[in-house]
Amino acid sequence: MGILTADNNLWLTLGLIAAGALVLAWFLHWIRREERAGTEPLLSTTVFRTRTSNLGLVTQNAQWLLLMGTSFTVATYLQVVRGYDAIQTGVIFTAATLGIRASSLAAERPAKRLPQRT
């Protein structure tokens, strides 16, 4: 919401971003309190202490940001510049969706044969 209001009101944007940061800080505090109490938290902070886990999370987030950013940019281009409506844009993205699905299914076989490190 903070980014969406950036064009209209800078102070509202800053307030919403600060509120989001406070919610994340509260969530981290709550998780740590749960861990200290000995109960099983929703998300264990020990996950972030391993280098392999952090590398995997950064890689996955980079891939998703790239995929979502490209999808958003292309969809916006098609609707604003080319004048397509939402249905036409969705039809164009159907081919990409089917390609991603097919490559995901095809990746299963080599993933089973090759070690994870590869």
Side-chain angles (χ1 to χ4, degrees), residues 60-107:
Q60 183 180 16
N61 281 323
Q63 289 172 348
W64 276 104
L65 285 172
L66 185 68
L67 181 65
M68 293 300 113
T70 302
S71 299
F72 177 78
T73 304
V74 171
T76 303
Y77 169 78
L78 290 173
Q79 291 179 8
V80 173
V81 176
R82 300 294 297 261
Y84 293 172
D85 62 11
I87 301 296
Q88 292 170 321
T89 303
V91 168
I92 289 171
F93 271 101
T94 301
T97 303
L98 293 175
I100 290 170
R101 179 157 171 78
S103 65
S104 296
L105 292 172

Side-chain angles (χ1 to χ4, degrees), residues 39-55:
T39 60
E40 187 174 340
L42 178 64
L43 173 71
S44 177
T45 57
T46 59
V47 170
F48 302 109
R49 292 187 187 137
T50 61
R51 184 173 184 265
T52 305
S53 175
N54 287 338
L55 185 60

Side-chain angles (χ1 to χ4, degrees), residues 9-52:
N9 188 340
L10 181 62
W11 292 109
L12 180 59
T13 300
L14 293 174
L16 289 170
I17 291 173
L22 286 173
V23 167
L24 286 175
W26 171 82
F27 181 70
L28 181 63
H29 173 72
W30 179 63
I31 292 294
R32 287 191 175 161
R33 190 179 68 217
E34 292 279 319
E35 286 179 335
R36 278 187 234 117
T39 60
E40 187 174 340
L42 178 64
L43 173 71
S44 177
T45 57
T46 59
V47 170
F48 302 109
R49 292 187 187 137
T50 61
R51 184 173 184 265
T52 305

